[in-house]
Amino acid sequence: MEVNKKIIDRIKNYQERFDSSLTSNRKLKLFKDMCSYIKKVSPNFYDYEKKSISYDYEKIIKELIYMEKFLPCKKLINVPFSNKVSFSFDNIEDILDLIIKKVREEINEYQISGDLRGQCYNATILAQRYAFMYDLKFHIQEINLGFINKHSYGQHFFGIVDNKGKKYLIDATYSQFFLLKRNCFEYLGMMEMVGPQAGSFMLMNEKRKEIAKKILSDCWIELTPGVLKAYLDGFAISYRNGLYYEEYQDFSYTTLYTDDDYWNFLNGLDNQYNHEKAQCLGYQKRPLNKLGR
């Protein structure tokens, strides 16, 4: 199709300008502009009768994901790591700090410009190993898109420590969700994309923001009432694609899920797909209605 050829040529022009840009800010702007343009023209690559996405569009998205690797690892929020010096084996918080210190030291070699993507499983296994050394009960938690319990390699792993009737959440790689390049709102509404990652949504209200800052600083937090909800709300909202907002007209960036609901999600007794339409979760499989038919 002649129209599609012109679109692809324009996208190639974005890529060429992106490759030749000398500043990270310029690269980020071109990347966002390209995302917005792809979203706008996406109906040209969708067969409404067969309900299928063209191969050309699939190639475009693969190139886009590849380009993301060359974006700067800037953070949405700068929270320094905690560096406590006092220590007591009688203090559970000091032990958690020590566990995190040891985990950080071991995964440090994998850090590339501060990006810990793909290290959550290794970090959680390490945290479990050290927790067992200090006679702490440690449960590995796996979360997948929509909180479907697949019993396989999950999208993210974190840990929960049980100690004397109190629970603590441990997430040593949480910072990966707060990189600017993975939190572009231009992703929302694009076919074959979801949307910004959890970081964007954690910063949208004060309670979630304070909990996020605590985890980013210490990599652990006590699971007092409301903490699990706030932490997992960030993921739940990030799993919604652009069709969610078109379907529900809900731009509050909140959920009605409670701590108990999320425990049910984690234990495989329920999931997000039982409460929200499947087409609105995960990778978007058709253009927004306002863009096409």
Side-chain angles (χ1 to χ4, degrees):
M1 258 177 105
E2 187 62 28
V3 173
N4 282 10
K5 184 181 182 305
K6 289 181 180 179
I7 291 171
I8 291 171
D9 287 343
R10 181 167 174 181
I11 291 171
K12 286 180 179 178
N13 180 258
Y14 273 114
Q15 292 172 311
E16 290 168 2
R17 291 155 62 199
F18 178 91
D19 292 338
S20 61
S21 293
L22 298 177
T23 67
S24 59
N25 287 341
R26 179 64 176 164
K27 281 186 182 293
L28 184 60
K29 184 181 186 308
L30 284 167
F31 185 81
K32 289 184 174 183
D33 288 348
M34 183 175 164
C35 288
S36 295
Y37 178 68
I38 291 170
K39 178 164 51 180
K40 178 181 176 182
V41 300
S42 60
N44 292 278
F45 298 92
Y46 185 74
D47 188 322
Y48 284 88
E49 291 183 3
K50 295 181 180 179
K51 297 183 179 180
S52 62
I53 299 170
S54 75
Y55 177 67
D56 283 338
Y57 186 85
E58 300 283 359
K59 289 200 301 183
I60 290 170
I61 293 300
K62 284 181 180 179
E63 286 294 324
L64 186 76
I65 293 171
Y66 178 75
M67 288 168 65
E68 185 198 81
K69 296 178 182 179
F70 298 96
L71 290 172
C73 282
K74 293 183 178 180
K75 298 176 182 177
L76 292 176
I77 183 172
N78 287 308
V79 179
F81 284 140
S82 173
N83 286 304
K84 297 178 184 176
V85 292
S86 61
F87 179 80
S88 169
F89 278 112
D90 296 325
N91 189 329
I92 179 61
E93 296 188 359
D94 287 351
I95 295 175
L96 293 176
D97 285 337
L98 180 60
I99 290 170
I100 290 302
K101 182 177 183 296
K102 290 177 178 293
V103 171
R104 282 179 181 162
E105 288 173 351
E106 291 207 35
I107 66 173
N108 185 59
E109 62 181 292
Y110 297 105
Q111 290 188 15
I112 302 172
S113 301
D115 189 352
L116 289 171
R117 189 179 208 172
Q119 292 303 316
C120 61
Y121 181 73
N122 293 335
T124 307
I125 289 293
L126 285 171
Q128 182 186 54
R129 183 188 306 166
Y130 288 119
F132 286 167
M133 286 174 59
Y134 297 110
D135 296 323
L136 294 175
K137 295 179 181 178
F138 190 102
H139 308 280
I140 294 177
Q141 298 290 343
E142 167 192 340
I143 53 175
N144 291 284
L145 196 150
F147 299 94
I148 293 287
N149 192 342
K150 294 183 177 180
H151 300 289
S152 62
Y153 195 82
Q155 290 187 323
H156 187 57
F157 291 86
F158 64 95
I160 292 178
V161 167
D162 274 317
N163 183 68
K164 298 179 180 179
K166 292 184 178 181
K167 287 183 168 61
Y168 301 84
L169 183 150
I170 289 184
D171 189 342
T173 65
Y174 193 49
S175 61
Q176 67 178 295
F177 300 106
F178 290 79
L179 294 180
L180 185 61
K181 66 181 180 179
R182 298 201 191 109
N183 282 279
C184 297
F185 271 84
E186 286 77 8
Y187 289 156
L188 271 178
M190 289 179 66
M191 290 194 301
E192 295 291 36
M193 299 293 282
V194 183
Q197 292 198 332
S200 288
F201 305 107
M202 291 301 292
L203 302 182
M204 282 187 171
N205 70 47
E206 283 306 311
K207 181 173 178 62
R208 292 203 302 253
K209 184 176 180 179
E210 287 306 308
I211 287 170
K213 287 169 67 176
K214 164 67 174 170
I215 301 173
L216 289 170
S217 170
D218 298 343
C219 296
W220 64 265
I221 188 170
E222 184 180 348
L223 282 174
T224 53
V227 170
L228 186 68
K229 171 182 169 54
Y231 172 77
L232 291 180
D233 267 356
F235 292 100
I237 301 168
S238 76
Y239 296 150
R240 296 167 174 169
N241 60 44
L243 296 176
Y244 172 89
Y245 300 96
E246 190 170 75
E247 174 74 23
Y248 292 97
Q249 290 296 300
D250 172 17
F251 299 93
S252 66
Y253 302 109
T254 59
T255 81
L256 296 176
Y257 306 127
T258 64
D259 282 346
D260 288 340
D261 291 328
Y262 281 123
W263 282 118
N264 287 335
F265 286 4
L266 292 177
N267 292 325
L269 303 175
D270 195 5
N271 63 71
Q272 198 171 356
Y273 284 91
N274 289 334
H275 304 271
E276 301 173 31
K277 292 184 179 180
Q279 67 176 4
C280 298
L281 298 172
Y283 293 96
Q284 189 170 316
K285 293 303 180 183
R286 68 165 175 80
L288 297 174
N289 287 327
K290 68 178 182 179
L291 298 175
R293 299 180 184 181

